[in-house]
């Protein structure tokens, strides 16, 4: 899974969000490192919708423009959990090897 | 015109690259996000922004409607590789055509005429072949069963012409051209094996998979 996709799913993990909300949230989650552009975001959202990992939660009209809220589907939640566990295991393995004594690196 | 109106017009122009169905569904929404992320007083679409949008549009247009099995996915990548080899070969022919023609006149005056015709044919057929590779990649990616058969015929045609050419012993355009043709035939062989693989069948013929 690409990092952008992972971060988008993470942004939706605690509730539905609209496109602009996802962009600001992803920026926050990644500590300001990842700033999604609209093209990247909507290509990913379109793919995730086709794969049924996310769905449309609701639609609103704000200032005459359509605003669509996305949420994780059960399949999306499972997929994100599996990916997070995989990354976690990898990170743990790396940290263990970097620091075999198990103490804190200083 | 106000700054935001001219910016919005710019965005609309770039968004026109996206597939129609996607635009109907998401253009308004994307436009809202683009306007929300624009800088204060921005009047024009930034270069990086436009590149990102165009890349997204290309990706959406090229990718298959549903995720193909790994065999088909690899086959599609190979088809794009085939187009790239074909393009490289064609560029080489076009760039070197002049010097090859003059070499022909000096070394093999008797065959000069045939060589010229061959060169011309390669120059004309090249772009058609590149287009064919790209179209096959696109159509096979969409699970078009006709495109699968078309590719098999494409393979048969190319292999037969390569064999016929070898039998004639006509080494018109040096070893490089033969190698390019052989490489393309091998790529095609790999693609044919992949798309007619048992794992690929349900993607092309979903009605069989449901039984």
């Amino acid at each position: 899974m690409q990092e952008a996709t992972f971060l988008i799913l993470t942004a939706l993990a605690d509730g539905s969000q609209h496109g602009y909300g996802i962009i600001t949230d992803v920026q926050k989650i990644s500590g300001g490192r990842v700033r999604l552009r609209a093209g990247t975001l909507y290509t990913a959202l379109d793919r995730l919708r086709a794969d049924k990992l996310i769905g449309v939660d609701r639609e609103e009209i704000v200032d005459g423009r359509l605003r669509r809220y996305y949420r994780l589907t059960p399949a999306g939640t499972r997929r994100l959990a599996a990916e997070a566990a995989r990354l976690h295991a990898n990170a743990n393995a790396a940290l263990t090897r970097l620091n075999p004594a198990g103490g804190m690196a200083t | 015109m106000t700054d935001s109106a001219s910016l919005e017009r710019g965005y609309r122009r770039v968004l026109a690259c996206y597939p129609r169905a996607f635009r109907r569904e998401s253009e308004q929404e994307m436009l809202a996000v683009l306007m929300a992320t624009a800088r204060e007083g921005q009047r024009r679409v930034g270069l990086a922004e436009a590149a990102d949008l165009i890349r997204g549009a290309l990706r959406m247009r090229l990718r298959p409607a549903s995720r193909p099995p790994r065999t088909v996915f690899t086959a599609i990548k190979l088809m794009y590789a085939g187009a790239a080899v074909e393009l490289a070969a064609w560029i080489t022919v076009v760039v070197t055509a002049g010097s090859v023609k003059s070499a022909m006149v000096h070394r093999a005056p008797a065959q000069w005429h045939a060589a010229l015709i061959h060169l011309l044919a390669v120059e004309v057929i090249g772009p058609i072949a590149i287009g064919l590779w790209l179209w096959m990649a696109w159509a096979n990616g969409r699970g078009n069963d006709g495109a699968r058969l078309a590719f098999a015929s494409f393979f048969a045609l190319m292999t037969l012409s390569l064999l016929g050419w070898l039998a004639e012993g006509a080494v018109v355009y040096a070893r490089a051209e033969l190698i390019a043709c052989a490489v393309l035939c091998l790529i095609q062989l790999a693609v044919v094996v992949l798309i007619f693989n048992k794992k690929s069948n349900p993607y092309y013929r979903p009605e069989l998979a449901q039984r």
Side-chain angles (χ1 to χ4, degrees), chain A residues 2 19-20 23 37-47 49-51 56 59 64-68 70, chain B residues 8 18 22 25-26 29-37 48-49 52-53 55-56 59-60 63-65 67:
Chain A
Q2 285 187 352
Y20 185 62
I23 292 181
R37 289 183 185 278
T40 311
L41 173 69
Y42 278 90
T43 318
L45 288 179
D46 189 58
R47 175 88 271 178
R49 273 175 82 178
D51 287 347
V56 174
E59 292 174 352
R65 287 191 201 282
L66 176 77
R67 185 179 273 185
R68 202 172 266 142
Y70 298 92
Chain B
E8 184 169 330
Y18 280 78
F22 174 80
E25 170 85 6
S26 303
E29 191 191 341
M30 249 179 120
L31 213 49
V33 170
L34 285 165
M35 296 306 288
T37 48
E49 217 169 20
D52 176 67
L53 288 170
R55 200 176 49 200
R59 227 182 245 181
M60 234 173 249
R63 84 179 160 205
R67 224 178 253 284

Side-chain angles (χ1 to χ4, degrees), chain B residues 1-80:
Chain B
M1 199 189 302
T2 64
D3 290 353
S4 77
S6 87
L7 180 63
E8 184 169 330
R9 220 172 53 149
Y11 281 136
R12 275 187 198 280
R13 217 171 289 149
V14 185
L15 287 175
C17 305
Y18 280 78
R20 194 187 304 249
F22 174 80
R23 268 189 359 241
R24 203 164 35 226
E25 170 85 6
S26 303
E27 186 176 47
Q28 283 298 316
E29 191 191 341
M30 249 179 120
L31 213 49
V33 170
L34 285 165
M35 296 306 288
T37 48
R39 278 175 286 108
E40 190 74 33
Q42 185 179 343
R43 293 200 60 178
R44 286 190 184 173
V45 179
L47 204 63
E49 217 169 20
D52 176 67
L53 288 170
I54 290 169
R55 200 176 49 200
L58 272 178
R59 227 182 245 181
M60 234 173 249
R61 283 186 181 276
L62 291 179
R63 84 179 160 205
S66 64
R67 224 178 253 284
R70 195 169 290 269
T71 45
V72 179
F73 195 65
T74 312
I76 295 167
K77 276 202 222 154
L78 282 174
M79 287 185 227
Y80 284 123

Side-chain angles (χ1 to χ4, degrees), chain A residues 48-63:
Chain A
L48 289 169
R49 273 175 82 178
D51 287 347
K52 304 212 163 46
L53 297 181
I54 65 170
V56 174
D57 190 50
R58 64 183 189 281
E59 292 174 352
E60 286 173 4
I61 303 286
V62 179
D63 297 335

Side-chain angles (χ1 to χ4, degrees), chain B residues 165-201:
Chain B
W165 191 26
L166 282 173
E168 267 175 39
V171 188
V172 186
Y173 200 78
R175 207 177 298 156
E177 193 183 3
L178 264 184
I179 293 173
C181 271
V183 168
L184 287 170
C185 278
L186 286 176
I187 294 179
Q188 286 181 327
L189 177 65
V191 169
V192 167
V193 169
L194 284 167
I195 56 181
F196 285 95
N197 185 291
K198 210 164 60 184
K199 287 183 195 139
S200 307
N201 282 337

